[in-house]
Every structure is written in structure tokens, then in C-alpha cells.
Amino acid sequence: MIKPWSVLCMTLFIPLALSQQIYDVWATTWDRTQLFTYTNLSPNPVSFVSPSTAGQADIAVNDGAVFQDMAGFGATLTDSSALILNNLKANACSCIQNQNSATYWSILNTLFDPTDGANAAGLSYLRVPLGASDFSASVYSFDDVSGDTAFNHFDINRAPSYLFSVTRDIQSINPYLRVHLVPWSPPAWMKDGGTMNGGSLQSQYTGIYANYLLKCLQGFENHGISTYAISIQNEPENSNPTYPTCVMNAGQEAQIGTALRSLMDANGFSGVRIVGYEHNWDDAGGYPVQLMQDAPNAFAGVAFHCYEGNYTQQNAFRSAFPNKEIYFTECSGVYGSDWWQDIKWYMSNIFIGSVSYGSMSGLMWSLALDGQGNPKLPGTDSCSPSCRPVVTISSDGTYTFHQEFYSMAQASKAILPRDVNGPWGQRIGVSVGSGLAADLQVTAFVTGRTSSSDWRRYSLVVMNWADTQNGAWNPTPIRTTIDFRGMQATYTFPVGVTTLWWYAP
């Protein structure tokens, strides 16, 4: 005889088990037969059931281990990127203006729309140079009048107007957009060589430069652009005489950061982060650690680039300062490289690798350029061979999303808020076992809900890179079990990148 309390227990248990099902899958495959392609598995979802034998690989999700909040994925909107995009919107030829304007909005929506269920990447982190970079029409700062320490001639509108308008357009699509301002160089008159191209900041301008950066924040605010973070100097260990750069040691950056933090707190920017370093992995245990030792209260954390070292070196910083934030903010591919090999590298090193070592973000370099990687600053030797952007846009309005887009889109989809203005994804514990464990790279996230009665979303980003066997090309799908809270689901991952999720209380 079944007792009434047994019936109640069964009634409560059955919906719980049935509701933990995988319906939503996004995939990008090695052969491009799927390109950030959405599949709804209804009416045959993958259910979590009582566990049995492990698959060829076995993913174990540990939602009891919760790590960093995610801030988003994205790229840098240089002057050149903004120009390329703006040319679509404001094409002077009336016969194609409407068509190109529609293309402009289509590209921005595909890149940045964070709406749950949208066929879009929902990129949410945008780096913006302060003044000229290697992708500007000319070298400029916001005050090029020598000795103007009172900044009577400071003018934020020395940046091209389309830099602000395109940023605002992106914000209109993605209200969560996090804008991170980064200078490539202080004004030339503050530097030892009298030029923005190469050299270093003279020590007598440390406090003056902090005021300059405050005015930059105020200038962007006056253009209707809220700032999430600001950095002191892009790549402070790099001096290149062919484009704006500046060598700045950790002690000097710490002094500027301390002064800027006080100015920001006193002028309505207490909620804006200062992010330090902005350079390569290889010095993760050096410069960034010294920076936090010298100015622990000024900096929220540090940012890394990919050009030297590897993502595991982030651990040198994370171990020294486990409560500081880590961002990954720049890496670039080049035209002519292999599509699938690039995706494997990006996922294993940045969008899975760097994230697994604490990064809250993952950004590529240029958002948009033309098919030759232009326009660049005249005379620069930067990006040789030509850097490939997230999206190439040709003068006739045609465009191509590259491997950078598809890699980021797969990762971004897993961390976006499920509810309007809801929580972002947090990384949670995950491990891979069984015989083909080495063929999968995995990250896992949990996304909270605005209502406590709504079930949380649990997401996996899985790369199957089993494309060769015994040295021969042989892309092999992997039948994988997914373990979650004592239950098990089974899914076969194609060679490529797959993002999927389910809900649980």
C-alpha cells in the first residue's frame, strides 16, 4: 500500500527530475556546418536521470564551488573600428544609404544584443582608447597644448564624433555594456621625448596625468557614456616609436592610480574601477603583483594580454591577490591563419583557459576593420601581418564575421543574464574524466534569477578538439555523460564548440 506521504514525495520528485532537461544548444563546428547555430531539442530534450556507466568522457559539474562573477566578452572600439562602422550608417550615396544603415544595425545587433533567446552573441564588454592608438587617423591627445597643466585647452571632442555615436548606438542595443577606457599614451608634452610615440612619462607629471584621466571620464560622461573601468596605460612595458605607446613602471602607475582613485571618489566616479597593468601574461607575477603591493586600495585588479606567456601564468597573480579582479582584454589573430586552429587556440587559451584561471572577461583586439586590416595609423609598424578584426566590413557594405566572433559568441551566450537586469553568470566547478577526457575543454556557469522562485540556469561551454587520431585527420564526436547533483545526462559533442544549459533550483 502506498502511504499518502509517499505520494507527496513522488509528486515533488517527478517534476524536479523531469525539469532538469537540456533543451537549448548553440554550436559552432569545425567544418562550419554549424556557425553559432541554435537548436531546440524539443520534443526530445536530454534528461538528467539516474546515473549509469560513464561516457567516453564524463563532465562533473560542482555547483558547490562558485568562483568569479563574469563581466562579459567583447573587443576594442578603436577610432578605425568606429569609422568603419559609422561609414555604413552614414554612407553618402543615397541609393544605398538605407541598405547600409540596415546593415549597420544588423551587425551591431548580432554582436551586442543580450536579449535572452536572441540570435546574437550579446557581447557586453567594450574597450575604448583614450586618444590615438595604432588604429587612428592621426596622433592626438585631448590636450596637445604644451605645458597646459590646468587643462584650459582640454577637449574630449578631439576624438572623432563617430567614436561617441557608435558607442552610444551599441549602448542602445546592450544596456549592460561595460565600457573600459584605456590610454595608449599621455599627451606628448608630459613625456621625455616630446612625442606620444614611444618614450615614458616624466615624473613631475604624475599628479597632472591623474587629473587628465579624470577629465577623460568626465568627457565621456558628458557624451552620455557611462564607464565601467579605466586603466592608466595600455601595455606599460612596451615602447614603440611608430605609434602611441609609453613605458611606465609599476611604481609610477601605482602613484597615478592612487591619485586618480582619490579624484574619482571626490568627483562622482567612486563606482568606476581602476584596472592596472594591461599587458602580457609573461610578467603576471612581477609588474601586477608590485602594482597591488604599492597601491592595494586604488586598483580593483589587473588585465592581461596574450602576446607573451600563457594563461596559466595568471595564477601567479591570483595566488598573491586572490581577492583582486582579473580581466583578459586583448588578443588578435591575423589574416590568412586557419579558421579551426584559431578557434581551438582562442577557446583553450582565452574563453575557457583564461576564464578558468580567474578572468572575468575575454576580449579580442579590433572590433571592425576592412579586408586588409585597415585603416591604421600612417607609418605604424603595428599589426604586421595585418590584424584580423571580429568582423570585416567592406566598402560596398558586405561583411564577414570571423572565428573571433564565433569563439566569443559561444562563451558569451553562457553568461548573459537570464532575466532583464538579472544576475550575470558565475563560474562554477567542473572537471572532465573518463577515457577521452583530454579531448574536451570545459567551463561551467550558474546564472541567478531575479525571483527566488525561478530556477537558476546552469551552462556548459564545451570544446571537442578531437580532430586527429594517430596523426591522421579524423574529427570524432564524443559521447559524454554530464553529472549534476547525483543525476546524469548524456550528450554527444561534435568536434567544435557547444554551449548548452538546463535549469535547477
Side-chain angles (χ1 to χ4, degrees), residues 425-450:
Q426 292 178 286
R427 185 172 68 90
I428 57 176
V430 68
S431 59
V432 187
S434 200
L436 298 183
D439 291 326
L440 299 185
Q441 297 282 303
V442 185
T443 50
F445 305 93
V446 59
T447 303
R449 306 298 300 276
T450 55

Side-chain angles (χ1 to χ4, degrees), residues 360-423:
M360 299 170 63
S361 66
L363 277 68
M364 300 306 299
W365 173 211
S366 291
L367 180 65
L369 294 170
D370 69 15
Q372 288 73 48
N374 291 318
K376 293 196 293 187
L377 181 72
T380 184
D381 65 6
S382 175
C383 279
S384 182
S386 295
C387 290
R388 184 180 52 238
V390 176
V391 56
T392 287
I393 302 174
S394 301
S395 58
D396 62 0
T398 58
Y399 60 94
T400 302
F401 289 112
H402 294 295
Q403 46 266 57
E404 290 78 7
F405 168 79
Y406 294 106
S407 301
M408 284 195 294
Q410 293 285 157
S412 178
K413 211 64 179 176
I415 68 165
L416 293 171
R418 172 61 179 82
D419 305 310
V420 175
N421 297 320

